[in-house]
């Protein structure tokens, strides 16, 4: 089945220790998104790629970076995680940008910072 | 600024009907989405409205009034598995999704 896959599902890191979250998709979608979601809050868009065009949201901290080496894969790098970065990180894809742009989500990676 | 408002929590009884409201103020409008999110899981797509009116899909229906900046999600014949958070999201003029914080729906037997 075509899908969005995130690894790992649960990630524990130490304060200040870099961590990388990965996302892959078999949907062949052009657009990939990274969201951060904290408990009982709306998902917060961090980045999105339209093909290889990178778009950084204005309020995404510099501590977060992203890479998309090819259509199928996207990575989220957190250079120096703080306690406030503990959250669920959601990867999503959509076929294109534009109206009726349903986003398909991966299962998420829950990040714990000790 | 852009804003999506929906109730934080609602409680309903199994077998009953519940309506979850969403009001929005965004820069531009290119459609409104409803997603379901079970605890600890990713959101899954429920519905999309871009024109005024009611869209029905099985037990779930979604309504939109663009002039009022208002939508609702109607769930009929509630089942225990419908216990989840329901997120309203609006696509703005830049085709970005603006998300509400979600409504946690609790179903009681």
């Amino acid at each position: 089945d075509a899908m969005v896959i995130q690894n790992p599902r649960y990630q524990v890191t130490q304060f200040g220790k870099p961590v990388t979250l990965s996302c892959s998709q078999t949907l062949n979608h052009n657009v990939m998104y990274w969201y951060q979601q904290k408990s009982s809050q709306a998902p917060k868009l961090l980045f999105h790629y339209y093909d290889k065009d990178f778009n950084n949201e204005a309020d995404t901290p510099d501590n977060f970076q992203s890479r998309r080496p090819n259509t199928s894969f996207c990575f989220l790098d957190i250079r120096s995680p703080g306690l406030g970065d503990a959250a669920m990180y959601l990867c999503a894809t959509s076929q294109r940008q534009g109206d009726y742009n349903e986003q398909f989500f991966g299962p998420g990676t829950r990040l714990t910072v000790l | 600024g852009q804003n999506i408002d929906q109730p934080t929590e609602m409680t309903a009884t199994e077998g009953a009907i519940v309506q979850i409201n969403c009001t929005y103020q965004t820069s531009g409008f290119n459609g409104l989405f409803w997603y379901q999110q079970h605890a600890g899981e990713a959101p899954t797509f429920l519905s999309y409205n871009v024109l005024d009116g009611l869209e029905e899909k099985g037990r779930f229906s979604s309504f939109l009034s663009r002039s009022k900046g208002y939508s609702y999600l109607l769930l009929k014949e509630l089942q225990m598995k419908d216990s989840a958070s329901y997120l309203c999201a609006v696509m703005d003029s830049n085709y970005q999704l603006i998300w509400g914080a979600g409504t946690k729906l609790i179903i009681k037997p």
Side-chain angles (χ1 to χ4, degrees):
Chain A
D1 286 340
M3 57 177 58
V4 182
I5 302 161
Q6 289 187 246
N7 286 304
R9 294 290 308 275
Y10 299 90
Q11 176 73 58
V12 180
T13 191
Q14 293 184 337
F15 185 94
K17 184 175 181 181
V19 67
T20 295
L21 310 182
S22 71
C23 177
S24 64
Q25 54 128 341
T26 60
L27 298 161
N28 204 30
H29 282 174
N30 289 321
V31 193
M32 294 188 77
Y33 307 82
W34 277 108
Y35 288 93
Q36 179 194 66
Q37 188 180 27
K38 297 185 178 180
S39 182
S40 301
Q41 295 185 19
K44 178 181 181 298
L45 183 64
L46 297 173
F47 308 99
H48 76 276
Y49 284 88
Y50 184 75
D51 285 334
K52 291 193 173 181
D53 291 338
F54 173 70
N55 295 272
N56 185 13
E57 296 308 299
D59 56 354
T60 298
D62 293 339
N63 196 27
F64 291 85
Q65 295 180 331
S66 183
R67 297 169 282 137
R68 189 180 184 187
N70 55 52
T71 302
S72 301
F73 286 88
C74 197
F75 299 97
L76 176 65
D77 301 308
I78 309 176
R79 290 192 293 182
S80 182
L83 298 178
D85 297 326
M88 175 77 89
Y89 289 87
L90 296 165
C91 174
T93 72
S94 62
Q95 190 168 18
R96 64 188 186 284
Q97 284 186 314
D99 56 1
Y100 190 58
N101 186 28
E102 179 186 344
Q103 293 186 14
F104 295 82
F105 284 84
T109 295
R110 182 166 294 282
L111 178 67
T112 300
V113 181
L114 300 178
Chain B
Q2 308 203 89
N3 197 47
I4 309 285
D5 284 319
Q6 43 182 140
T8 303
E9 187 174 297
M10 299 182 70
T11 302
T13 305
E14 190 177 16
I17 298 172
V18 71
Q19 177 175 312
I20 302 174
N21 295 325
C22 171
T23 58
Y24 62 89
Q25 290 177 308
T26 56
S27 55
F29 179 83
N30 281 300
L32 184 145
F33 293 79
W34 283 96
Y35 279 81
Q36 180 190 61
Q37 186 175 28
H38 285 99
E41 297 182 10
T44 55
F45 171 79
L46 288 178
S47 67
Y48 171 77
N49 294 68
V50 68
L51 299 177
D52 289 352
L54 188 68
E55 294 279 343
E56 297 188 75
K57 192 187 290 186
R59 294 189 299 115
F60 293 6
S61 303
S62 56
F63 172 83
L64 175 68
S65 169
R66 287 172 297 171
S67 62
K68 295 182 179 177
Y70 168 70
S71 173
Y72 67 74
L73 181 69
L74 191 71
L75 293 77
K76 303 177 185 175
E77 301 170 16
L78 285 170
Q79 302 175 9
M80 297 303 293
K81 67 179 182 179
D82 298 329
S83 292
S85 286
Y86 292 85
L87 295 101
C88 173
V90 173
M91 183 167 286
D92 69 7
S93 56
N94 293 319
Y95 298 105
Q96 296 303 315
L97 278 182
I98 310 301
W99 293 84
T103 298
K104 183 178 180 180
L105 178 63
I106 299 168
I107 310 295
K108 295 186 174 179

